[in-house]
Amino acid sequence: MRGPVAVVKRSFLEGRSIAALARDHGVSRGAIRTAVADLLPDHTAAAPEAPVPELPVTLDMPGEVADFLRAAELEPAERVALDEGQAVRRGTGYTLRVSAVPAVHRQLLDRCQILDGTAAVPARRKARREYGNRVGALTP
């Protein structure tokens, strides 16, 4: 090992704290943690063929869709995503800002499929279509 990362790793192994190393090198503690990540006790190497985990994405869900889903039977992850969503007032209605992994957004979209039916109120059909467009824009 050579260079500043090697020096940081060697110092860390000799017992220097992450905070002290950050001060010494004029970088953040996060940068030091990144440099010594493979030396930390909770570090586990990912298998090269392992899929990359999905990161949460924040999407605005129309209030009509949110109201429908709140009354529906949902999986625990879906319920948590809805419950933790933040309501944003929009004129006479609202939008629910939901943060969840894309898979949960897709599941929520599937749950409100019935809103596309001909018996559904036009405003709900439009709201579901808007949410569907936002979910559809996510990479698979």
Side-chain angles (χ1 to χ4, degrees), residues 61-135:
M61 177 186 292
E64 291 281 342
V65 173
D67 291 342
F68 175 80
L69 289 171
R70 282 197 172 112
E73 291 288 326
L74 300 175
E75 295 292 322
E78 298 167 342
R79 179 66 59 198
V80 167
L82 273 182
D83 290 345
E84 291 180 355
Q86 295 179 337
V88 178
R89 297 310 272 161
R90 302 271 188 228
T92 58
Y94 76 100
T95 298
L96 189 66
R97 192 156 287 152
V98 178
S99 290
V101 295
V104 171
H105 281 294
R106 287 185 199 97
Q107 290 170 340
L108 289 169
L109 181 63
D110 288 344
R111 298 245 186 236
C112 61
Q113 186 75 30
I114 195 165
L115 296 178
D116 277 345
T118 55
V121 176
R124 283 191 167 183
R125 278 198 306 264
K126 180 181 178 189
R128 195 231 176 244
R129 217 172 28 251
E130 285 177 16
Y131 184 55
N133 291 339
R134 293 172 187 154
V135 172

